[in-house]
Amino acid sequence: MSMNDLITPALLLDKGKMLKNINKMRDKFKKHGVSLRPHLKTCKSIDVAKYLVPDLEAGKITVSTVAEAEYFSKGGYRDILYAISITPSKLARLHKLQQRGCQITLITDSLAGFQQISDAASKLKTTFPCLIEVDCDGVRAGLKSNDPELLVLAKALHEYPNTELAGVMTHAGGSYNCESLDEIKQMAETERQIVLDAAHAVRGANLPCPIISLGSTPTATYGESFEGITEVRAGVYVFQDLVMQTVGVCKKEDIALSVLATVISHNVPENRILIDAGGLALSKDTGKPNELGHKHFGQVCEAVTGHPIQDLYVSSTNQEHGLLYLDDLPYNFSDFPIGSKLRILPNHACMTAAAYQGYEVLSDNGSISEFYPRCHGW
Amino acid sequence: MSMNDLITPALLLDKGKMLKNINKMRDKFKKHGVSLRPHLKTCKSIDVAKYLVPDLEAGKITVSTVAEAEYFSKGGYRDILYAISITPSKLARLHKLQQRGCQITLITDSLAGFQQISDAASKLKTTFPCLIEVDCDGVRAGLKSNDPELLVLAKALHEYPNTELAGVMTHAGGSYNCESLDEIKQMAETERQIVLDAAHAVRGANLPCPIISLGSTPTATYGESFEGITEVRAGVYVFQDLVMQTVGVCKKEDIALSVLATVISHNVPENRILIDAGGLALSKDTGKPNELGHKHFGQVCEAVTGHPIQDLYVSSTNQEHGLLYLDDLPYNFSDFPIGSKLRILPNHACMTAAAYQGYEVLSDNGSISEFYPRCHGW
């Protein structure tokens, strides 16, 4: 099958680029001797996961929804970290995965959260291992590593019968806002120090802390030391995207995901080209401003080669229309005939991919060789 | 079933509010004696559509994807307008619906587009009725009503064997940017005048123009005259949302759609509450700034009553986390215990609903009585 046989918008996955991204990260942590526990919230696809974590039985994965946990468990994975603070109503479904032989690790950052896990697990007559989430950058969740609640929580998780203290984890999501590689390196070191501080506090209180987990694609990519860390989590590196490129984590040519679209209209008086990939197909995530400082919904590329068309971005979107403002750009309408195809690099791969039933897999020879379905919902 | 039995995030549909929204619009156009052709891109649900357009056999609907056309055709609808300029590769699938007895009307705004429809229809040995899209506000697609190409296109659609000139249509999407009801009324009148100008031009050239179609929720709601218009299209009024409320089209209490979420974490040092509805559950559409002038991802409401909590919005989102910044608001963490539920009104109903498998239907007595599935993809 060729690209031309696809109904647009379609989600293209360049398999060669994906494998390069996967291997680069895998090689790095093999060298560091640290486990990688890829976050599968980006791909949500068992076919992609098999490249990320080839050993299903022993491999470690991270998920962000119960639906993902169920889907990847069905696909054969056994060691699953659910990396969002849990609500007790979700535990019955996760317990079913335990009954099928899965190790389901939870995270929590409060005594109230612990109490709810403990109560629900007790009713289910099970035990959930839990990591304590530590805040390393003030942008999301977690306890500060010096918060007195940390040890109270660790003690409770360890001592109560239906929870098990599995360790500590943090996520340097703030690295998405770094403005230089030095800043990312520094943030990676801060991320490591803070989660180690938490681990030392826990161990200092004679409590177990087998897992010390951290990660984000920028800090995993540029972090220099992972000493003391037992596992690294990262997700978006599998595809990369324009946010990662803007932060300096990858180049545009590393981005494995793109949306194939068709030119459907020329609004000549307004100097705009319309494509059939809009807010649903690209997501409404505006990522980071482009090289010209403009907000946008994706970089426009040539369909066949995938090469970026300089300075051409999707400037605005309706539900099913993407608008390319030609403004002062050196392009003519005849460069983009109605019916011709374009490819759009996404701002945020996780959000863009979410709208599609799956990936149209693009081989090195330019043909569409496979379709990888995705899981959806919660 | 009660709200507490739902796994969060969940998409709640207040059926009573939805029916009020539907009836208000239906009553208006009954009074005006103009057909309503609801745009089903918002609901994408046959169960909702049956309230919007109860007469499946004779009712008129608008769709934005081939997947919607297939889904609603399977559900029993026969008269379907595909209201995005088409690409020829989509016509084979639409032709299958013709073969099952559906009337599929297309839109186009260029000779190149016409040529592609004509060629593809010829190969399929069929004819597609087409509306010419006219631009009334410069924000999306369409020919200006005085563009000489309009009549050339009309003539081609009429004379070529595989297309049929069905009329003209426009969409005042620019009404979403209006800042007063007077401005909306004015835009509604401009929308009407411009599509009528186009229709007069077509008819003046002795060409048929049976359909004169316009619409957007703001202009359909506040337009005062629809004289000369044969049908009105609108979509988001079925649920309403915060964009419509900000534009003045509805009140917050009219919004029938909300996302049920659970409080999962308190970040006390940062003065933030975290919920399990993030960018996927709410969409990344930032809509319009709130009353305080802030960008946000939805208005926070009490879960049971659905009443808005004053000035409390989802300030930022990660994929599965929503962050509520308490800042200087008069609320305490104890007002939002971990494990408690909240409801979020969406900025843009069409985008938010798209992430869900369907609607949890909330009855007037507060119970969850039904589940309405949605269609997905393209």
Side-chain angles (χ1 to χ4, degrees), chain A residues 263-269 272-274 333-334 336-338, chain B residues 109 142:
Chain A
V263 174
I264 56 169
S265 177
H266 291 167
N267 191 330
V268 180
R272 290 173 189 171
I273 286 168
L274 287 96
F333 286 99
S334 59
F336 309 101
I338 288 176
Chain B
D109 64 358

Side-chain angles (χ1 to χ4, degrees), chain A residues 8 41 90 109-110 116 138 140 144 262 265 267 270 272 276 284-285 318-320 338 350 378, chain B residues 8 41 87 90 109-110 116 138 140 144 265 267 270 272 276 284-285 318-320 338 350 378:
Chain A
T8 53
K41 76 183 176 74
K90 293 174 179 135
D109 64 358
S110 67
Q116 295 183 358
R140 203 176 76 179
K144 303 286 184 205
T262 305
S265 177
N267 191 330
E270 308 290 340
R272 290 173 189 171
D276 63 355
K284 283 289 206 176
D285 198 313
N318 296 346
Q319 185 162 344
E320 296 294 345
I338 288 176
C350 315
W378 291 272
Chain B
T8 53
K41 76 183 175 75
T87 57
K90 292 174 180 135
D109 64 358
S110 69
Q116 295 184 357
R140 203 176 75 179
K144 302 287 183 204
S265 177
N267 191 330
E270 306 291 342
R272 291 173 188 172
D276 63 355
K284 283 289 206 176
D285 198 313
N318 296 346
Q319 186 163 342
E320 296 292 347
I338 289 177
C350 315
W378 291 271

Side-chain angles (χ1 to χ4, degrees), chain B residues 85-342:
Chain B
S85 283
I86 196 83
T87 57
S89 60
K90 292 174 180 135
L91 290 176
R93 278 168 62 191
L94 291 177
H95 178 49
K96 286 199 183 138
L97 307 187
Q98 289 184 319
Q99 288 173 318
R100 284 202 247 138
C102 288
Q103 159 106 344
I104 306 289
T105 304
L106 308 178
I107 71 171
T108 181
D109 64 358
S110 69
L111 280 167
F114 148 75
Q115 196 61 61
Q116 295 184 357
I117 294 170
S118 174
D119 291 351
S122 161
K123 275 185 206 139
L124 293 166
K125 300 190 174 39
T126 189
T127 297
F128 282 103
C130 298
L131 300 175
I132 299 175
E133 184 169 11
V134 178
D135 186 4
C136 66
D137 58 10
V139 303
R140 203 176 75 179
L143 291 168
K144 302 287 183 204
S145 59
N146 61 358
D147 189 318
E149 194 174 334
L150 180 76
L151 288 186
V152 184
L153 177 56
K155 206 159 174 277
L157 285 167
H158 182 58
E159 290 179 354
Y160 274 67
N162 300 98
T163 56
E164 182 191 308
L165 177 59
V168 291
M169 61 84 76
T170 194
H171 166 62
S175 62
Y176 281 43
N177 301 320
C178 285
E179 295 191 341
S180 69
L181 296 190
D182 274 350
E183 214 182 309
I184 297 176
K185 286 180 189 175
Q186 209 164 16
M187 182 158 284
E189 185 54 19
T190 304
E191 183 184 31
R192 184 179 79 93
Q193 288 292 350
I194 286 178
V195 76
L196 281 180
D197 286 351
H200 292 154
V202 169
R203 287 175 179 162
N206 262 327
L207 293 166
C209 191
I211 297 175
I212 306 174
S213 172
L214 55 67
S216 73
T217 287
T219 56
T221 304
Y222 286 108
E224 290 172 326
S225 166
F226 293 86
E227 217 182 307
I229 301 305
T230 71
E231 69 179 38
V232 172
R233 308 178 325 279
V236 74
Y237 73 93
V238 61
F239 299 149
Q240 303 290 14
D241 58 23
L242 290 172
V243 168
M244 287 300 108
Q245 178 262 328
T246 311
V247 172
V249 168
C250 70
K251 299 204 170 96
K252 283 182 187 169
E253 57 259 39
D254 300 326
I255 301 174
L257 205 68
S258 59
V259 171
L260 186 70
T262 305
V263 174
I264 55 169
S265 177
H266 291 166
N267 191 330
V268 179
E270 306 291 342
N271 212 16
R272 291 173 188 172
I273 286 167
L274 287 95
I275 59 173
D276 63 355
L280 268 190
L282 299 171
S283 111
K284 283 289 206 176
D285 198 313
T286 50
K288 307 267 183 190
N290 64 16
E291 296 87 348
L292 307 168
H294 298 156
K295 190 178 98 166
H296 67 89
F297 297 89
Q299 159 88 61
V300 182
C301 303
E302 295 170 7
V304 176
T305 63
H307 293 155
I309 298 172
Q310 195 173 350
D311 297 335
L312 190 63
Y313 286 83
V314 180
S315 307
S316 75
T317 56
N318 296 346
Q319 186 163 342
E320 296 292 347
H321 292 82
L323 284 82
L324 285 43
Y325 299 176
L326 293 188
D327 292 339
D328 303 321
L329 298 176
Y331 305 118
N332 301 311
F333 286 99
S334 58
D335 299 329
F336 310 101
I338 289 177
S340 63
K341 300 268 197 301
L342 293 167

Side-chain angles (χ1 to χ4, degrees), chain A residues 178 180-190 218 222-224:
Chain A
C178 285
S180 70
L181 297 190
D182 274 350
E183 213 181 309
I184 298 176
K185 286 180 190 175
Q186 209 164 16
M187 182 160 284
E189 185 53 20
T190 304
Y222 287 107
E224 292 172 328

